[in-house]
Amino acid sequence: MKNISQIVLGLSAAAIFIGAMFILSPSGSTNKSVRYVFALTFLCACIGLFAGISGVKFDFTTQNKAPDYTTAKKLTEHQAEYICAAALNDKNISFDKILVSTDIDESSGIFISNIEVYSAANDELIKKIINETVLTKEVTVR
């Protein structure tokens, strides 16, 4: 039903526009060529309406999508790894790798559940630096 009303509205608008242009066109020797151009224009408008290529769709509906937690979790993990690495580098502590595990709580918030630091340095010192830098539940040094 919506498509039919759009086609009728489009044909009516095209006919009114062509009629107005025909009234404004000059009479005389160019009358036949002007009618020919207007007829072709109306024909193209009709074909376009039926083929669905002449109308531009404006969609103003919003879709409430759930947030992409996988991307947010990865971003949080990357940020925590970077911050922890910077804190350990500031204290001149060498490490091989930092792994961050995140989880989602009841209020859909992302929190850091575990940080693993692969290092041969003092375990307690690393745990102290990480706990001062990042809010986490557990720090593991391997």
Side-chain angles (χ1 to χ4, degrees):
M1 185 69 179
K2 184 177 178 183
N3 291 337
I4 294 172
S5 64
Q6 287 178 343
I7 290 173
V8 170
L9 181 66
L11 289 176
S12 301
I16 291 171
F17 178 74
I18 298 291
M21 294 305 293
F22 186 74
I23 290 171
L24 294 175
S25 67
S27 60
S29 63
T30 60
N31 195 11
K32 284 187 179 182
S33 61
V34 169
R35 281 187 181 186
Y36 181 71
V37 168
F38 288 154
L40 284 178
T41 305
F42 186 74
L43 185 64
C44 289
C46 292
I47 292 172
L49 283 171
F50 287 113
I53 59 172
S54 69
V56 177
K57 286 189 174 182
F58 294 104
D59 188 14
F60 295 108
T61 59
T62 59
Q63 296 177 356
N64 294 331
K65 291 179 11 181
D68 186 7
Y69 288 117
T70 57
T71 305
K73 283 178 69 172
K74 288 180 183 177
L75 181 61
T76 302
E77 290 170 0
H78 180 71
Q79 288 173 340
E81 288 172 7
Y82 181 80
I83 291 169
C84 291
L88 292 175
N89 285 332
D90 285 346
K91 302 291 183 179
N92 294 325
I93 296 176
S94 63
F95 60 92
D96 295 326
K97 182 169 43 170
I98 298 175
L99 296 177
V100 177
S101 300
T102 57
D103 205 357
I104 300 173
D105 62 6
E106 300 83 28
S107 64
S108 299
I110 299 172
F111 67 93
I112 300 169
S113 58
N114 185 21
I115 298 176
E116 292 182 39
V117 180
Y118 292 88
S119 176
N122 185 357
D123 294 0
E124 295 303 318
L125 181 61
I126 291 175
K127 287 180 181 181
K128 180 183 173 195
I129 293 170
I130 297 296
N131 283 326
E132 289 174 355
T133 307
V134 179
L135 180 63
T136 183
K137 290 184 176 181
E138 184 180 349
V139 177
T140 308
V141 180
R142 298 178 189 236

